[in-house]
Amino acid sequence: VILVEQQVEITGSGRDEPLLRQALARSPLKTGQRLSHVDYDQLKGELLRTAAGNGYLDAEFIHSELLVDPAAHEARARITFETGERYRFGPTIIEQDFLRAELVDRYLRYREGDWYDAGALLRTQFALDDSQYFAVVEVLPEERDRVRRIAPIRITSGPNKRDRYTIAAGYATDTLARGKLGWENRRVNRGGHRLRAEILGSSIEESAELTYAIPWTDPALEKLSFGLRGFREQRADVETTGGTFTVALAQVRGNWQRVLSVTADATRDKVVTTTGTTTEVTRLDSRLLVPGISYSLLPPGFLGVNAVPHGLQAELLGSTSALGSDTNFTRLLIRDERRFHLTGRWSLQLRAELGASVVGEFQELPAKYRFFAGGDRSVRGYGYEELSPVDADGNHIGGRNLMTGSIELQRDLPRNFVAALFVDGGNAVNNFGDRLEYSAGVGLRYRLPFLSVGLDVAQSISEPDRGPRLHLNFTPEL
């Protein structure tokens, strides 16, 4: 049976609604093709969902029939769809008593008087869930007012636990054994302020951090935070101890998260040089005030300042003696990571970093603002941050610039395993054009929904006398 004719008419105030016209254009029901009752029902369902989701809550089919002539093997579809009048959002009733009503109201993705939009209700649900203030949230329309053409909304919720504790342990070849203890007060007050304390320990880093966060103008997309951190870090042959105080404003704009920050640094770098029986210790004390701005790409449609970056990140920061800092510098770092599906079970993963800095007196720049390369997420086949320029005593002390890249061919295996073949290259250098190091290897991954656990064996190509190096790493799934 062939569909020889279809007549679909949209009447009412929404007859020229672009979304309804798009739904018609996407219709799987095609004249001249074999009749499919499923396609007929799908078209009707799509029209109803599109109309109701965009405020035409009284939409209905005035006429709908599918006429089949068995003898002629022909069918005709006739549909008349009446949209009715479009509704607007009415008042919103929010059932909660543990946060200021004004704060919760700023999470709404719509305002009273806007055209009704089911997508806005869904985004409101996501925003309230992502806030972590609520254990249960329901955002549902009430009985609509057919006279005034409004749809009231009711939000019911229950408070989440105020305190959250974190205990974590892990192992990677870069950090060796590591652990973390954390505590967060999700509701310091009715204004939704938060307080988080965290202690981190590993072979390359020990730190204690206290962060106070305040919901900003749009609390779903913006927050202001104050962070105090004390730390000890080992970067190649430089040990850094000190403390920082950071004020940061994080804002989501479309698919990008922007962070504006100012950091006050007080650090001491220490390099220990042993020659025979003589040990010499070199120290550098620094005081810096460092403004910065960063952008991170977020997954499409992701709502919330706690979003996980999608790959591309760029950071620009610097300081000057005019701000009372001990040195002048500007530093740019760009990172990106992409996965491309090739064919069948094959995919290609690319990763790159590019860093550049302009420094007044390089020897006065703290190690935390210098560049290092090497390790599980850099150039495999080399130890963590062991690639960088060296001083007169042979100590790796970091460089002005950074270039690293990785090409990895992957093949999916049964039971979420993935085999990989890769080539890495790059270095931390003082001048673009200086020598880069290269390595190649094979790996095995176990892919979870949000994390990939990898075991790699890499061999340096540029320094073949080096033995192969084993890398255990954890990579977020993109």
Side-chain angles (χ1 to χ4, degrees):
V1 176
I2 302 301
L3 182 68
V4 296
E5 179 187 356
Q6 58 172 314
Q7 298 177 1
V8 182
E9 183 183 8
I10 299 177
T11 63
S13 63
R15 59 185 175 274
D16 296 322
E17 177 67 42
L19 291 174
L20 288 173
R21 294 298 170 186
Q22 292 171 16
L24 277 180
R26 295 193 304 268
S27 171
L29 198 64
K30 303 297 183 184
T31 303
Q33 295 185 3
R34 178 185 298 178
L35 173 65
S36 169
H37 206 127
V38 172
D39 292 344
Y40 172 75
D41 287 338
Q42 182 177 333
L43 170 60
K44 292 175 61 179
E46 183 70 15
L47 288 173
L48 271 176
R49 283 190 296 271
T50 301
N54 289 276
Y56 299 98
L57 303 181
D58 296 329
E60 60 180 343
F61 291 100
I62 302 300
H63 183 84
S64 64
E65 61 182 3
L66 191 59
L67 304 175
V68 180
D69 184 342
H73 298 92
E74 294 178 349
R76 290 169 174 82
R78 295 171 182 170
I79 297 173
T80 302
F81 185 60
E82 167 63 39
T83 66
E85 296 297 322
R86 192 175 187 184
Y87 282 69
R88 294 181 182 271
F89 281 113
T92 298
I93 300 173
I94 303 175
E95 298 179 351
Q96 67 86 30
D97 58 2
F98 50 90
L99 292 172
R100 291 176 185 165
E102 178 268 344
L103 172 64
V104 181
D105 185 63
R106 282 154 48 201
Y107 276 95
L108 305 185
R109 302 296 95 186
Y110 62 90
R111 288 293 174 259
E112 184 176 351
D114 292 349
W115 291 117
Y116 181 90
D117 180 357
L121 293 183
L122 190 60
R123 292 191 295 274
T124 298
Q125 176 85 50
F126 290 157
L128 292 171
D129 285 337
D130 189 61
S131 73
Q132 300 182 16
Y133 295 132
F134 309 97
V136 178
V137 178
E138 287 187 340
V139 182
L140 297 172
E142 295 277 87
E143 181 68 28
R144 59 186 179 271
D145 186 331
R146 298 176 184 271
V147 176
R148 294 189 294 164
R149 298 287 193 275
I150 61 172
I153 307 299
R154 182 178 295 273
I155 299 177
T156 59
S157 64
N160 208 349
K161 293 181 179 179
R162 184 185 298 270
D163 297 312
R164 179 187 182 188
Y165 299 91
T166 303
I167 302 176
Y171 182 90
T173 47
D174 280 352
T175 62
L176 302 180
R178 62 189 180 196
K180 180 172 68 175
L181 296 176
W183 164 77
E184 181 180 17
N185 184 335
R186 292 165 168 165
R187 299 191 313 276
V188 174
N189 52 37
R190 289 175 57 82
H193 295 195
R194 306 173 190 269
L195 179 64
R196 186 180 75 246
E198 187 174 275
I199 299 174
L200 177 68
S202 71
S203 63
I204 61 171
E205 179 185 1
E206 298 165 359
S207 65
E209 186 171 2
L210 191 65
T211 305
Y212 192 86
I214 301 173
W216 208 235
T217 306
D218 184 342
L221 303 176
E222 301 175 325
K223 70 176 179 182
L224 178 67
S225 62
F226 303 86
L228 184 63
R229 179 173 180 260
F231 64 94
R232 180 203 67 83
E233 294 177 344
Q234 187 71 41
R235 310 199 69 184
D237 295 319
V238 185
E239 180 185 273
T240 303
T241 57
T244 64
F245 177 72
T246 301
V247 180
L249 177 62
Q251 300 170 299
V252 173
R253 295 291 184 267
N255 290 339
W256 293 91
Q257 178 172 274
R258 182 184 69 181
V259 179
L260 305 172
S261 64
V262 177
T263 300
D265 273 348
T267 61
R268 168 174 288 183
D269 292 341
K270 183 173 70 173
V271 178
V272 179
T273 302
T274 301
T275 305
T277 58
T278 303
T279 299
E280 181 181 351
V281 179
T282 303
R283 293 182 174 86
L284 171 65
D285 292 328
S286 297
R287 302 289 185 272
L288 299 176
L289 186 64
V290 185
I293 181 172
S294 69
Y295 283 87
S296 301
L297 184 63
L298 302 177
F302 201 102
L303 178 67
V305 290
N306 299 317
V308 177
H310 195 52
L312 180 60
Q313 302 174 58
E315 178 188 60
L316 177 66
L317 48 83
S319 189
T320 173
S321 56
L323 297 175
S325 298
D326 292 340
T327 189
N328 303 309
F329 78 97
T330 303
R331 180 181 190 266
L332 174 66
L333 176 61
I334 301 174
R335 296 188 179 101
D336 197 8
E337 186 166 357
R338 305 279 169 163
R339 179 180 296 142
F340 301 94
H341 179 74
L342 299 179
T343 180
R345 296 184 176 183
W346 293 92
S347 60
L348 185 68
Q349 184 155 327
L350 306 178
R351 185 181 71 243
E353 289 182 304
L354 178 64
S357 61
V358 178
V359 186
E361 297 292 338
F362 183 75
Q363 65 273 15
E364 296 179 0
L365 183 67
K368 66 175 293 187
Y369 295 112
R370 301 179 185 182
F371 291 112
F372 296 81
D376 301 340
R377 298 282 296 158
S378 182
V379 183
R380 286 163 286 190
Y382 293 86
Y384 176 68
E385 296 191 336
E386 73 166 305
L387 292 177
S388 82
V390 298
D391 62 12
D393 298 311
N395 297 306
H396 292 84
I397 59 171
R400 298 171 183 263
N401 307 309
L402 174 71
M403 289 187 297
T404 68
S406 174
I407 302 175
E408 183 168 298
L409 184 64
Q410 300 177 344
R411 178 177 169 80
D412 293 339
L413 302 176
R415 300 183 182 275
N416 294 330
F417 283 98
V418 179
L421 180 67
F422 60 85
V423 175
D424 295 345
N427 205 345
V429 296
N430 281 328
N431 299 290
F432 288 113
D434 289 352
R435 170 177 168 166
L436 304 180
E437 307 293 348
Y438 297 93
S439 64
V442 296
L444 184 66
R445 314 270 181 271
Y446 182 66
R447 188 171 290 165
L448 300 170
F450 301 104
L451 184 72
S452 178
V453 182
L455 186 64
D456 298 327
V457 179
Q459 171 64 52
S460 172
I461 298 174
S462 49
E463 298 182 82
D465 293 339
R466 283 176 170 261
R469 187 178 181 89
L470 187 68
H471 293 271
L472 174 65
N473 57 80
F474 302 86
T475 306
E477 281 294 303
L478 301 178

